[in-house]
Structures are given as structure tokens and as C-alpha cells.
Amino acid sequence: MAVYREFNSEELWREYNIEATVPSIEPFRDQNITLTEEMKRDLTCYADLAFGSGPMESLDIYPAQNVSDLAPAYIFFHGGYWRLGSKNGSGFMAKCLTEKGVAVAPIDYALAPDVSLDEIVRQARASVAWLYHHGADFGVDRERIYISGSSAGGHLSAMIMAPGWQSEMNVPEDLVKGAMLFSGLYDLEPLRHCEPNDWLELDEASVRRNSPIYTLPNQEIPLVVAYGSEETDEFKRQSDAYAYAWREKGFNCSVFEMSDYHHFNMTSMLTESDSLLTGQVLSVMGMD
């Protein structure tokens, strides 16, 4: 029996069990952790800055190199299906981008099932609001805040662009000046019908309020959406559908399918100054 589109529960989980598209995710996770450790060792890093009272509510800032003024911020949210990962594996692009005059800020957030998705989204928003209010102390220009993330981090970045929360955190509606979303999830309804709901515990109402495709911004924001050619059809469709909804609202959006990349290695391009993905990030930030 179909539970979502043409899929039964087993077929749907095959589409959303993204870990099954590679033999193991551990080599990619270990590489990102190792690279992040190198960044913290070799670069200036303001580590473990608290943006809230919870034990996971913290961020790192790698200030831009060789700049005499405040720099634009590239804020990155890690993936892990909202239950895995941390900023300790999310600073791998710091050298590449700080050399280009960009401050890099990987974000930590509490994980499911210890907290709800509503709380994870609130924390993501709070981290960006904190950077708006305090980032200048660490070299960040609050008028040039750009957000990015992979997988669950792409979802969180898209939820930051949603309207209706900014006044509660005393930030402007146009807080975000651009976004780069990688392999994100933008309609959570299919997850309600397969294994991720074991830790997300979504119902119809929480799906609706936490699905970026239903919470598009009121003003245009420069946007890049990218995914790997080796991802599942449903992960590809999620990105294409979000881009379509964005364009239907009259907003511009660039969409890229990265040939020969999969869900877990695509962001490695951000360590290469001449890669297509790095070029798109810098273009959105006006740094190309």
C-alpha cells in the first residue's frame, strides 16, 4: 500500500536511507573531523562560543584572513538526519574560504530524539541571531550574513529564511543575504512515513511548520541549491521541488547536479578554491 506518492513504507525508506548509497559514511565523517582539527590548529579560531544556555548551543568562528575590516560570514549547519554530527566536523572549509576574505562559522545544535525538531530549528535561528548581535566582536559583518548547510543542515538553513520568527529574536527580516543549500530536505512529509520518524516524532502539524517548501521567505534571497548525481531520486526531487517553488514565487534560484559526487563527499569541494561549489558560494557572497 502506498504511504507517500507511489511508495510503500519499505520503498520509501530505500529512497531516504541515504547512508545506504555508500559502503560506509565513516571515512567521510572522519575526514571532515580530521580537517576541522587541522583548521583549529593552523588558523585563528574562536571556539565554543555559546549562543544559548544548552550544552550543544555553541559555535566556532574562523575570522577572515588578511582583511582590515569586518568580513562576510559563511555560516554552516552540519547534516546527520538531525540526530548525528557536530561542528567538530564542520570547519573543513575554513582555510579555503578565510583565505578569500570570508569568516566561517560552523554551528552546533542539540540532536533528536533528545529535543524536538521545533527546538532544533529554534536553536539554528538563535545561532544566526547571536552572530547578528555579537559577530562584530569576532570580525563578522552583520550586514553580510550568508547561510549554508548539507542534508539536515540544508533544511535548517532553509528554515532560517522562513518568515515570522525574526522579530522575536530582534533581527531584521532581511537578516540572511544569501544561501547555499546542499542535498537538503525541504518537505518532511515522506519522513513521517518511514524510519526517521522514530527519532523525529513528526505529525501533520509539525511537518507543515517545519517544511521549508511551505515556509518560503517574503523577499528574494540569492540562492544556490546543489546535490550529487549519485544521490537517490527522492533526494534529488526534494531539491528540484524546492527550487521550483522558489521560482514559482518569482525568485531566482541556481540549481546544480554535481556529476560523480554523492551525498557524503560533495561538500569536500569547499576545500578546493577552484571548484564549482566554492565558486558558487563566493558568487552568492559577491566575493568572486
Side-chain angles (χ1 to χ4, degrees):
M1 180 181 296
V3 296
Y4 178 78
R5 302 180 72 217
E6 70 273 21
F7 302 107
N8 63 34
S9 294
E10 183 179 344
E11 293 166 340
L12 192 62
W13 178 229
R14 279 202 295 269
E15 287 292 317
Y16 283 94
N17 183 12
I18 198 64
E19 289 189 22
T21 61
V22 295
S24 172
I25 67 171
E26 294 308 317
F28 308 104
R29 181 170 296 164
D30 292 345
Q31 180 183 45
N32 287 343
I33 291 172
T34 298
L35 287 173
T36 300
E37 289 172 348
E38 291 177 5
M39 298 301 101
K40 286 188 174 182
R41 183 189 67 224
D42 297 341
L43 303 175
T44 299
C45 178
Y46 303 105
D48 303 321
L49 300 171
F51 63 81
S53 59
M56 297 292 287
E57 293 179 78
S58 68
L59 55 87
D60 298 337
I61 298 176
Y62 300 84
Q65 301 181 49
N66 304 314
V67 297
S68 57
D69 204 350
L70 299 179
Y74 177 81
I75 300 170
F76 186 79
F77 294 90
H78 67 82
Y81 251 137
W82 303 278
R83 66 169 179 164
L84 298 170
S86 80
K87 67 179 175 60
N88 293 330
S90 303
F92 52 88
M93 77 296 287
K95 183 177 186 293
C96 179
L97 294 184
T98 59
E99 287 179 345
K100 299 289 188 179
V102 175
V104 173
I107 309 295
D108 248 350
Y109 51 88
L111 302 173
D114 293 340
V115 299
S116 67
L117 187 57
D118 287 306
E119 172 60 13
I120 294 172
V121 169
R122 186 203 66 79
Q123 289 184 17
R125 291 167 171 170
S127 71
V128 180
W130 187 93
L131 279 163
Y132 178 83
H133 292 297
H134 303 284
D137 295 337
F138 306 95
V140 168
D141 182 354
R142 73 179 192 175
E143 300 301 328
R144 291 187 289 170
I145 286 178
Y146 298 84
I147 56 174
S148 186
S150 177
S151 196
H155 163 268
L156 294 175
S157 297
M159 288 302 296
I160 290 164
M161 292 189 287
W165 64 272
Q166 291 84 355
S167 62
E168 297 177 8
M169 296 189 182
N170 194 28
V171 296
E173 285 282 338
D174 65 348
L175 168 71
V176 175
K177 297 304 190 290
M180 295 71 68
L181 312 182
F182 312 132
S183 307
L185 291 161
Y186 309 106
D187 181 356
L188 304 188
E189 178 61 19
L191 303 187
R192 193 166 68 89
H193 301 284
C194 57
E195 189 167 323
N197 215 33
D198 291 350
W199 58 87
L200 293 174
E201 299 182 348
L202 300 170
D203 56 23
E204 290 185 27
S206 58
V207 161
R208 191 79 183 188
R209 65 177 173 265
N210 287 301
S211 288
I213 203 163
Y214 302 123
T215 58
L216 298 175
N218 293 324
Q219 68 285 327
E220 184 167 9
I221 300 170
L223 176 65
V224 168
V225 173
Y227 53 87
S229 63
E230 305 305 311
E231 304 201 47
T232 66
D233 289 343
E234 271 294 287
F235 264 85
K236 294 176 182 180
R237 186 193 63 80
Q238 286 263 353
S239 290
D240 288 335
Y242 185 65
Y244 179 82
W246 195 272
R247 289 166 174 164
E248 281 286 285
K249 199 161 182 178
F251 300 160
N252 290 321
C253 172
S254 299
V255 183
F256 296 90
E257 180 175 310
M258 299 297 177
S259 297
D260 302 321
Y261 283 90
H262 56 69
H263 192 83
F264 300 100
N265 69 354
M266 192 178 70
T267 55
S268 67
M269 283 191 283
L270 296 175
T271 65
E272 304 165 5
S273 61
D274 59 350
S275 73
L276 174 60
L277 210 59
T278 299
Q280 288 301 313
V281 165
L282 294 174
S283 178
V284 168
M285 302 181 76
M287 304 291 287
D288 54 343

